[in-house]
Amino acid sequence: MPKLEGFEFWRNTLKGARFVVAPMVDQSELAWRLLSRRHGAQLCYTPMLHAQVFVRDANYRKENLYCDVCPEDRPLIVQFCANDPEVFVQAALLAQDYCDAIDLNLGCPQMIAKRGHYGAFLQEEWKLLQKMIVLANEKLSVPITCKIRVFPEIGKTVKYAQLLEEAGCQLLTVHGRTKEQKGPLAGVASWEHIQAVRKAVNIPVFANGNIQYLSDVEQCIQKTGVQGVMSAGRKRELLLLDNCVISRVYSIISPQEEIANLKEDEKPKGGLPFFHWICQPYVRPGPKEVCKENGTSGMEGSTRGKRALEDEDDGNSDGLSKNKQKKKLRNPNKSFDPSLKPKYAKCDQCGNPKGNKCVFNLCRGCCKKRAFRETADCPGHGLLFKTKYEKSLSWKNGQSSLENIEVTAQKGEVEETLLLKEAIDGVA
């Protein structure tokens, strides 16, 4: 069967999906996907999987995909984060028989993505992304899709989307926020960016962002012209399907003591229209709103945002987290100044920290593969393929020499026996 592309892929393989469940780490496992499908979801994604770990770890493949396969969980798209074309394709080849498409995550804005150099932190590396998608489109038997975040400029976002389409992306999900819009700074997603992308490309587009009610889905489709809408939830932000609101299972459960202690006619906390144990849309307030509620000024409250790891303090305990303050008490001389932290050189192939004494400038995993392939030694990683090979050759040569000596000795014994026999016959 030829590989379907673009709108043909969306109509036939994805059944024209309009209601899409977003990939959520530690949440979008099989149980959640089946629950979502039961309430109207037409397409689901796996959680974001790490391509390099997926390639090297058989247990990781089993636990995150192979053991979660069932006919009811289709259509399904497997999402990977990756920054190496070869690794991405290897992972996709191992996953393609268990899904309907492979998605490249270019939208994760979290600090772990920054450290690992994937997700939204690849959006400036257009040549690398082009190479990754071109190679995947050539090698895979299923289509390649992408999920992106927008740039502040609409024009640059459009060029970015067109580049991915030209490289071979068959479906594009556009989250209408920049990579800086996260956590308390999330703000409102820009449907204008999504609309501009939809008009500029010739492949299906899914919109992501600003979905609180089911009516928002239809409004988004009319406003942007997209083929479908992807929705996800974090804590009390909700996934909306089938004319109802589905909260994450753990969000539905609430402390019974708090409910019992509520007074009659008491209003819910946090400005929610209903009490917190009732499933409802929830928008997390920004730093300014939180400061007003706490009676502090905006500058005072914004000195340290939630998990602002990008801007670590210079060791001043007033700005440190509770965990770091405890460490400071145990070791008063400890400093958390990022400029004083050791800088680890990266592996030339995968980006992980390389071995300081590696002869190939690689991490141990990449070094082991190269040393084995080239029959070389790397004393820094304790890999001695060349030495062991030479020892095995010398051992074989030694065995051959022993065999020759034994054969020679046996010949000498036979000759001595014959001479002795001739001497005896002469005497006789």
Side-chain angles (χ1 to χ4, degrees):
M1 292 288 292
K3 181 165 61 176
L4 300 182
E5 299 179 347
F7 281 95
E8 191 177 5
F9 158 66
W10 174 68
R11 292 191 191 97
N12 297 319
T13 304
L14 303 185
K15 313 299 181 185
R18 288 160 58 89
F19 302 106
V20 185
V21 180
M24 296 175 282
V25 176
D26 294 332
Q27 191 61 46
S28 297
E29 283 75 15
L30 179 62
W32 175 251
R33 298 198 298 264
L34 293 178
L35 176 64
S36 301
R37 292 179 191 276
R38 190 183 306 167
H39 290 276
Q42 298 167 328
L43 171 63
C44 291
Y45 284 64
T46 66
M48 180 187 71
L49 305 178
H50 198 293
Q52 190 176 50
V53 181
F54 196 86
V55 170
R56 71 168 184 251
D57 193 335
N59 288 330
Y60 185 81
R61 296 194 291 271
K62 291 178 183 178
E63 293 171 0
N64 291 279
L65 183 61
Y66 293 175
C67 293
D68 276 359
V69 175
C70 68
E72 297 81 9
D73 190 32
R74 303 296 282 269
L76 176 69
I77 295 180
V78 173
Q79 188 187 72
F80 285 109
C81 67
N83 55 23
D84 181 277
E86 295 292 340
V87 173
F88 175 53
V89 170
Q90 289 177 32
L93 289 171
L94 291 170
Q96 65 178 0
D97 293 337
Y98 300 88
C99 61
D100 299 288
I102 299 294
D103 186 78
L104 176 60
N105 184 320
L106 301 176
C108 181
Q110 303 304 324
M111 180 53 60
I112 190 173
K114 184 176 183 179
R115 292 191 185 116
H117 194 56
Y118 56 79
F121 297 93
L122 292 176
Q123 67 178 13
E124 296 285 357
E125 300 190 31
W126 290 12
K127 288 185 178 180
L128 172 63
L129 296 181
Q130 187 177 37
K131 184 177 179 181
M132 292 176 71
I133 297 169
V134 166
L135 187 62
N137 191 44
E138 291 175 354
K139 301 291 185 180
L140 300 181
S141 61
V142 296
I144 177 73
T145 68
C146 297
K147 185 174 187 290
I148 66 172
R149 284 195 170 226
V150 300
F151 290 95
E153 307 85 7
I154 291 181
K156 188 173 182 179
T157 303
V158 167
K159 291 181 180 178
Y160 181 39
Q162 290 174 332
L163 170 86
L164 299 176
E165 178 190 13
E166 292 172 3
C169 175
Q170 303 302 324
L171 185 148
L172 191 64
T173 300
V174 184
H175 187 155
R177 295 183 175 92
T178 65
K179 71 176 186 294
E180 291 77 23
Q181 289 181 275
K182 60 182 180 178
L185 303 177
V188 179
S190 171
W191 285 359
E192 288 74 21
H193 281 70
I194 300 174
Q195 182 186 40
V197 170
R198 175 65 201 95
K199 290 180 178 180
V201 299
N202 297 310
I203 56 175
V205 175
F206 290 159
N208 187 205
N210 297 352
I211 304 302
Q212 292 186 319
Y213 297 92
L214 183 64
S215 58
D216 293 336
V217 175
E218 294 300 331
Q219 184 182 355
C220 180
I221 292 175
Q222 293 177 6
K223 172 76 174 178
T224 62
V226 295
Q227 280 61 52
V229 173
M230 177 184 286
S231 182
R234 292 188 182 278
K235 294 185 180 177
R236 286 184 187 162
E237 296 173 19
L238 308 172
L239 179 67
L240 303 109
L241 299 166
D242 194 23
N243 293 314
C244 68
V245 182
I246 304 175
S247 174
R248 292 188 180 199
V249 176
Y250 68 82
S251 299
I252 294 175
I253 302 171
S254 60
Q256 295 300 315
E257 291 183 7
E258 188 175 349
I259 298 173
N261 293 331
L262 284 173
K263 299 177 182 179
E264 189 175 355
D265 298 330
E266 184 179 357
K267 292 184 178 181
K269 297 179 181 179
L272 297 175
F274 305 106
F275 289 105
H276 64 276
W277 62 84
I278 298 176
C279 296
Q280 58 192 299
Y282 173 80
V283 178
R284 180 165 42 189
K288 292 183 179 179
E289 288 80 0
V290 173
C291 293
K292 289 178 181 178
E293 290 180 6
N294 296 335
T296 58
S297 65
M299 290 298 293
E300 181 184 350
S302 61
T303 53
R304 183 175 181 85
K306 179 183 178 183
R307 299 185 70 183
L309 298 180
E310 299 94 333
D311 303 313
E312 286 287 4
D313 296 87
D314 58 0
N316 184 3
S317 61
D318 294 337
L320 296 178
S321 65
K322 291 182 179 180
N323 188 36
K324 289 183 177 179
Q325 288 181 36
K326 291 179 182 178
K327 293 180 179 179
K328 192 80 173 176
L329 288 173
R330 292 195 296 266
N331 183 6
N333 296 323
K334 188 173 183 62
S335 174
F336 297 100
D337 186 355
S339 63
L340 300 178
K341 292 181 179 179
K343 302 296 182 182
Y344 295 101
K346 292 184 178 180
C347 170
D348 293 344
Q349 290 189 3
C350 68
N352 287 328
K354 72 173 185 178
N356 292 330
K357 298 181 181 180
C358 179
V359 297
F360 300 117
N361 292 321
L362 302 174
C363 67
R364 194 178 195 284
C366 297
C367 176
K368 186 175 182 180
K369 293 178 182 177
R370 180 168 175 178
F372 177 79
R373 185 172 61 249
E374 299 180 3
T375 316
D377 287 349
C378 178
H381 280 124
L383 302 173
L384 305 173
F385 292 106
K386 181 180 179 181
T387 301
K388 291 179 180 178
Y389 178 70
E390 291 175 348
K391 285 184 178 179
S392 66
L393 288 180
S394 63
W395 182 83
K396 289 180 180 178
N397 293 333
Q399 289 294 105
S400 299
S401 300
L402 288 174
E403 290 176 0
N404 292 334
I405 292 171
E406 289 178 359
V407 170
T408 304
Q410 289 175 0
K411 288 181 178 179
E413 290 177 359
V414 171
E415 290 176 355
E416 288 180 2
T417 303
L418 292 174
L419 290 172
L420 180 60
K421 186 177 180 183
E422 289 177 1
I424 294 171
D425 291 341
V427 171

